[in-house]
Amino acid sequence: MNSVGLVESQFITIKRSLDLDCGRTLPEFTLAYETYGKLNPERSNALLICHALSGDQHAAGYHSTEDRKPGWWDNCIGPGKPFDTDRFFVVAPNNLGGCKGSSGPASVNPETGKQYGPDFPLVTVHDWVVSQSYLADELGIEQWAAVIGGSLGGMQVMQWAIDFPDRLRQAVVIAAAPKLTAQNIAFNEVARQAIFSDPDFHQGHYYEHNTTPRQGLMLARMLGHITYLSDHAMREKFGRDLREGKLNFGFDVEFQVESYLRYQGKSFVDRFDANTYLIMTKALDYFDPALNWDDDLPRAFQNTSAEFLVISFTGDWRFSPARSREIVRALIAAKKKVSYVEIDADLGHDAFLTAIPEYHSVLQSYMHTLQI
Amino acid sequence: MNSVGLVESQFITIKRSLDLDCGRTLPEFTLAYETYGKLNPERSNALLICHALSGDQHAAGYHSTEDRKPGWWDNCIGPGKPFDTDRFFVVAPNNLGGCKGSSGPASVNPETGKQYGPDFPLVTVHDWVVSQSYLADELGIEQWAAVIGGSLGGMQVMQWAIDFPDRLRQAVVIAAAPKLTAQNIAFNEVARQAIFSDPDFHQGHYYEHNTTPRQGLMLARMLGHITYLSDHAMREKFGRDLREGKLNFGFDVEFQVESYLRYQGKSFVDRFDANTYLIMTKALDYFDPALNWDDDLPRAFQNTSAEFLVISFTGDWRFSPARSREIVRALIAAKKKVSYVEIDADLGHDAFLTAIPEYHSVLQSYMHTLQI
């Protein structure tokens, strides 16, 4: 139907050195990315899609006719969809440090000839944005029509607007926050400790041991899932339903919610890398664009020139509407153009990935007004 | 000052068989307990204190002059305190399945001559209440002046009122809920999986291996602590403060909240047993007194004769005030006497253990009106 159809990931090695926030330099790096739609002759219709914690470059379409699931934001990207590929050229990269083909812990370190493993540098949202700007240079995109992302993706959008004010016209920040709270960091820390505690982790050198810290990564993901769903959504979805209709007084799965979490945890391990998970959680913890501006968020936004659309979801307790309103208030204080929409949705943080009609209709209308 | 001073735990082996909800029977069992104050000749001034997930019988006073910390509810129990030991005789048992001297996983199974380990039966809140009623029989206490508890302790209070309506005059239910939500169960499930995943767990037979699943239990406790504190309290306590004042781009402790969680996790492991933790979380998951009454909580309360005091804390997101109000509404629907107080406190679930003046003054006044 309105799918972008079969797509392939592309891989580009960018031969420019990248100075990272941590003080280390990558002499060159690879980014995996996918594109959907066509770049117009004016090169004015490009959208950059930034992914969240466990996302990747496969944002839309199918890799093969056997694929059961399309890319992670397929409901939003395609012909006639909010990010309309009949009109826009959509670029979706995998972040540096990722595990789907961009330079990351599983890549070979040119200095040692061995996989980086835990020696891959910790990267920041700023580092990602700079690496994405190099990708834009390679693709001949001087200015994005819009940079768009949810959750950790929304943080990249803000960083883009701050770091490269002239290189985007619109900034679409969905279900994000201007920085993590102590509680957010605490959840990330427990997830990391779960991975570190797994004896198959081998201090990150598990590739060499032909193991993978399955249990630790599974726990991290189970915990993540609790924060992605609202208490209300969990109640609606599972309640206190018992899988076998009765208590069995043992530690096998009894409640449906246990079954769901174990399934989510196990299936994640098959598609994700623990070292990448660690890097992504640290990038989240570190994100704090106001830090360089005396903790003054309006000042951090003062040089931006993009117009902003900020969207939040009422049932989201990971990054609640209150956190989005902090962003909006700072933008208003900085005298920037910003539209704010709070979507009534009980699902929780994961709502940003779903096709809630009101949400998609807001995106559709907004994108429709964009001049290209 | 107003301390009960030096106290000793007592241990009683009750030679009565106990039929458990799981279908198994304990031919006899031991309960560890402490008492503070004196039972009056009329035996009418006894208070039962029920502990929460990680509590024990040491609720007040000191075990030795070297003790740095008193019992877990020392701020509430003592001469002149809300549970005034000049007036009341306070009994604090360790729950069955515990690890401080009551029969539990580390006890010897008389049938095998070996420690139970994971073969200790899963016990329920109802089982605890029955075992506590046997203790009351042994102590010659026909009727408690009040049964009191917070969190999982508050669930025992409700169960007492339902199971033994004539054996208590007052029921003080603090920071509790009529049953766990799917989200509550989900947190417990991740904690359990963390313990199961630890290679030192040996499917619960770690005593025989001279190991203990330190990492798993530490993770479980870290996760628990996130749910005991409110987001606001964490922000007040730690904010995004960096321990060394700067990012170090590594996985050692960077943010103060990480340091706090690791410390809490590690110190817990030295004083608690993983098999007991598993049993306690399951008792929480299973608690649902309305289940036998077609999910009709007022009907579950219909035969109670105690007066109720229900207390909640505004910043508690583990068992929020909304959950306490469910209890209150059910009691009102059942035409029972109930007082309800919502304490304005940002701390989170842990507030019930603190000496918030308004909270203690409510308890003090309430206890003062009790006829003994």
Side-chain angles (χ1 to χ4, degrees), chain B residues 172-283:
Chain B
V172 180
V173 178
I174 306 170
K179 62 185 174 191
L180 295 202
T181 62
Q183 190 189 68
N184 296 145
I185 294 172
F187 276 117
N188 283 343
E189 170 66 3
V190 176
R192 284 190 291 266
Q193 290 298 325
I195 293 169
F196 295 152
S197 302
D198 189 321
D200 286 331
F201 181 62
H202 297 288
Q203 300 187 289
H205 295 283
Y206 50 90
Y207 313 129
E208 302 160 37
H209 290 79
N210 283 314
T211 61
T212 181
R214 290 186 67 85
Q215 295 296 329
L217 186 56
M218 188 187 84
L219 285 170
R221 182 63 168 181
M222 291 173 77
L223 181 53
H225 264 281
I226 301 179
T227 70
Y228 304 152
L229 290 181
S230 66
D231 190 21
H232 179 274
M234 280 204 169
R235 191 175 359 240
E236 291 285 300
K237 226 171 156 136
F238 313 109
R240 292 174 51 88
D241 293 348
L242 291 162
R243 201 162 69 158
E244 295 169 11
K246 61 176 181 58
L247 298 179
N248 61 24
F249 292 98
F251 292 108
D252 289 337
V253 160
E254 293 196 295
F255 295 97
Q256 289 292 4
V257 64
E258 296 172 321
S259 170
Y260 169 81
L261 283 180
R262 290 189 201 182
Y263 173 79
Q264 291 294 338
K266 281 179 185 156
S267 60
F268 185 63
V269 172
D270 295 329
R271 69 174 179 87
F272 214 80
D273 178 78
N275 281 325
T276 288
Y277 199 84
L278 295 171
I279 287 172
M280 297 286 159
T281 61
K282 272 296 191 182

Side-chain angles (χ1 to χ4, degrees), chain A residues 83-95:
Chain A
F83 310 132
D84 188 346
T85 49
D86 287 339
R87 199 160 164 250
F88 293 105
F89 175 62
V90 177
V91 179
N94 181 214
N95 284 0

Side-chain angles (χ1 to χ4, degrees), chain A residues 59-98:
Chain A
Y62 296 83
H63 282 164
S64 87
T65 49
E66 278 87 55
D67 276 3
R68 292 203 338 221
K69 282 186 176 177
W72 58 270
W73 218 358
D74 191 80
N75 61 33
C76 241
I77 302 169
K81 294 181 184 175
F83 310 132
D84 188 346
T85 49
D86 287 339
R87 199 160 164 250
F88 293 105
F89 175 62
V90 177
V91 179
N94 181 214
N95 284 0
L96 208 56

Side-chain angles (χ1 to χ4, degrees), chain A residues 90-120:
Chain A
V90 177
V91 179
N94 181 214
N95 284 0
L96 208 56
C99 54
K100 294 300 165 82
S102 290
S103 293
S107 306
V108 172
N109 181 346
E111 289 174 17
T112 63
K114 295 201 296 185
Q115 284 176 296
Y116 279 102
D119 302 323
F120 194 84

Side-chain angles (χ1 to χ4, degrees), chain A residues 21-23 118 122-124 127 179-197 199 215-216 218-219 222-223 226-227 229-231 234-235 238-240 242 247-255 257-259 261-262 275 278-279 281-282 284-288 291 317 323 326, chain B residues 21-23 118 122-124 127 179-197 199 215-216 218-219 222-223 226-227 229-231 234-235 238-240 242 247-255 257-259 261-262 275 278-279 281-282 284-288 291 317 323 326:
Chain A
D21 275 337
C22 65
L122 286 187
V123 289
T124 64
D127 295 332
K179 62 185 172 190
L180 296 202
T181 62
Q183 189 188 70
N184 296 145
I185 293 172
F187 276 117
N188 282 344
E189 170 66 3
V190 176
R192 285 190 291 267
Q193 289 298 326
I195 292 169
F196 295 153
S197 303
Q215 295 296 329
M218 187 186 86
L219 285 170
M222 289 173 78
L223 181 53
I226 300 179
T227 70
L229 290 181
S230 66
D231 189 22
M234 278 204 171
R235 195 178 352 244
F238 313 109
R240 292 176 50 90
L242 292 161
L247 298 178
N248 61 27
F249 292 98
F251 292 109
D252 289 337
V253 161
E254 293 195 294
F255 294 97
V257 65
E258 297 171 321
S259 168
L261 284 180
R262 292 190 199 181
N275 281 324
L278 294 171
I279 287 172
T281 62
K282 272 294 190 184
L284 266 169
D285 289 1
Y286 287 167
F287 180 72
D288 185 5
L291 193 64
W317 67 280
R323 309 306 313 280
E326 290 176 41
Chain B
D21 274 338
C22 66
L122 286 187
V123 288
T124 64
D127 295 332
K179 62 185 174 191
L180 295 202
T181 62
Q183 190 189 68
N184 296 145
I185 294 172
F187 276 117
N188 283 343
E189 170 66 3
V190 176
R192 284 190 291 266
Q193 290 298 325
I195 293 169
F196 295 152
S197 302
Q215 295 296 329
M218 188 187 84
L219 285 170
M222 291 173 77
L223 181 53
I226 301 179
T227 70
L229 290 181
S230 66
D231 190 21
M234 280 204 169
R235 191 175 359 240
F238 313 109
R240 292 174 51 88
L242 291 162
L247 298 179
N248 61 24
F249 292 98
F251 292 108
D252 289 337
V253 160
E254 293 196 295
F255 295 97
V257 64
E258 296 172 321
S259 170
L261 283 180
R262 290 189 201 182
N275 281 325
L278 295 171
I279 287 172
T281 61
K282 272 296 191 182
L284 266 170
D285 289 1
Y286 288 168
F287 181 71
D288 186 4
L291 194 64
W317 67 279
R323 309 306 312 282
E326 289 176 41

Side-chain angles (χ1 to χ4, degrees), chain A residues 10-241:
Chain A
Q10 300 174 65
F11 305 89
I12 185 170
T13 296
I14 298 174
K15 299 195 178 294
R16 286 168 70 180
S17 71
L18 182 63
D19 294 331
L20 303 172
D21 275 337
C22 65
R24 290 169 62 184
T25 298
L26 292 177
E28 60 176 53
F29 61 95
T30 298
L31 287 186
Y33 66 100
E34 293 188 1
T35 68
Y36 322 109
K38 281 192 182 146
L39 189 60
N40 63 10
E42 302 81 15
R43 301 177 173 274
S44 65
N45 69 333
L47 306 182
L48 177 67
I49 305 291
C50 301
H51 70 69
L53 185 64
S54 59
D56 56 34
Q57 73 275 21
H58 185 37
Y62 296 83
H63 282 164
S64 87
T65 49
E66 278 87 55
D67 276 3
R68 292 203 338 221
K69 282 186 176 177
W72 58 270
W73 218 358
D74 191 80
N75 61 33
C76 241
I77 302 169
K81 294 181 184 175
F83 310 132
D84 188 346
T85 49
D86 287 339
R87 199 160 164 250
F88 293 105
F89 175 62
V90 177
V91 179
N94 181 214
N95 284 0
L96 208 56
C99 54
K100 294 300 165 82
S102 290
S103 293
S107 306
V108 172
N109 181 346
E111 289 174 17
T112 63
K114 295 201 296 185
Q115 284 176 296
Y116 279 102
D119 302 323
F120 194 84
L122 286 187
V123 289
T124 64
V125 171
H126 167 74
D127 295 332
W128 283 336
V129 163
V130 174
S131 73
Q132 290 160 359
S133 78
Y134 288 11
L135 175 64
D137 294 343
E138 297 285 336
L139 298 175
I141 296 163
E142 180 60 33
Q143 187 185 59
W144 301 102
V147 178
I148 302 159
S151 192
L152 179 53
M155 295 172 172
Q156 294 162 63
V157 176
M158 285 182 266
Q159 194 75 51
W160 259 100
I162 292 167
D163 291 346
F164 298 104
D166 302 330
R167 299 197 69 174
L168 67 163
R169 296 196 295 282
Q170 302 288 335
V172 181
V173 179
I174 306 170
K179 62 185 172 190
L180 296 202
T181 62
Q183 189 188 70
N184 296 145
I185 293 172
F187 276 117
N188 282 344
E189 170 66 3
V190 176
R192 285 190 291 267
Q193 289 298 326
I195 292 169
F196 295 153
S197 303
D198 189 322
D200 286 332
F201 181 62
H202 297 287
Q203 301 189 287
H205 296 282
Y206 50 89
Y207 314 130
E208 302 161 35
H209 290 79
N210 284 314
T211 61
T212 181
R214 290 185 67 84
Q215 295 296 329
L217 187 56
M218 187 186 86
L219 285 170
R221 183 63 167 180
M222 289 173 78
L223 181 53
H225 263 281
I226 300 179
T227 70
Y228 304 152
L229 290 181
S230 66
D231 189 22
H232 179 274
M234 278 204 171
R235 195 178 352 244
E236 291 285 300
K237 226 170 155 139
F238 313 109
R240 292 176 50 90
D241 293 349

Side-chain angles (χ1 to χ4, degrees), chain B residues 39-270:
Chain B
L39 189 60
N40 63 9
E42 302 80 16
R43 301 177 172 272
S44 65
N45 69 334
L47 305 182
L48 177 68
I49 305 290
C50 301
H51 71 70
L53 185 63
S54 60
D56 55 35
Q57 73 275 19
H58 185 38
Y62 296 83
H63 281 165
S64 89
T65 50
E66 278 87 57
D67 276 4
R68 292 201 341 222
K69 281 187 178 176
W72 59 270
W73 217 358
D74 190 79
N75 61 31
C76 241
I77 302 169
K81 293 181 183 175
F83 309 132
D84 188 345
T85 49
D86 287 340
R87 198 160 166 250
F88 293 105
F89 175 62
V90 178
V91 179
N94 181 215
N95 284 358
L96 208 56
C99 54
K100 295 299 163 84
S102 291
S103 294
S107 306
V108 171
N109 181 347
E111 288 174 17
T112 64
K114 296 201 296 184
Q115 285 176 295
Y116 279 102
D119 301 323
F120 195 84
L122 286 187
V123 288
T124 64
V125 172
H126 167 73
D127 295 332
W128 284 336
V129 164
V130 174
S131 73
Q132 290 160 359
S133 78
Y134 287 12
L135 176 64
D137 294 342
E138 298 285 335
L139 298 176
I141 296 162
E142 180 61 33
Q143 187 184 60
W144 301 101
V147 178
I148 301 159
S151 193
L152 179 54
M155 295 173 173
Q156 293 163 62
V157 176
M158 285 183 265
Q159 194 77 51
W160 259 100
I162 293 168
D163 291 347
F164 298 103
D166 301 331
R167 298 198 69 174
L168 68 163
R169 296 196 295 280
Q170 302 288 334
V172 180
V173 178
I174 306 170
K179 62 185 174 191
L180 295 202
T181 62
Q183 190 189 68
N184 296 145
I185 294 172
F187 276 117
N188 283 343
E189 170 66 3
V190 176
R192 284 190 291 266
Q193 290 298 325
I195 293 169
F196 295 152
S197 302
D198 189 321
D200 286 331
F201 181 62
H202 297 288
Q203 300 187 289
H205 295 283
Y206 50 90
Y207 313 129
E208 302 160 37
H209 290 79
N210 283 314
T211 61
T212 181
R214 290 186 67 85
Q215 295 296 329
L217 186 56
M218 188 187 84
L219 285 170
R221 182 63 168 181
M222 291 173 77
L223 181 53
H225 264 281
I226 301 179
T227 70
Y228 304 152
L229 290 181
S230 66
D231 190 21
H232 179 274
M234 280 204 169
R235 191 175 359 240
E236 291 285 300
K237 226 171 156 136
F238 313 109
R240 292 174 51 88
D241 293 348
L242 291 162
R243 201 162 69 158
E244 295 169 11
K246 61 176 181 58
L247 298 179
N248 61 24
F249 292 98
F251 292 108
D252 289 337
V253 160
E254 293 196 295
F255 295 97
Q256 289 292 4
V257 64
E258 296 172 321
S259 170
Y260 169 81
L261 283 180
R262 290 189 201 182
Y263 173 79
Q264 291 294 338
K266 281 179 185 156
S267 60
F268 185 63
V269 172
D270 295 329

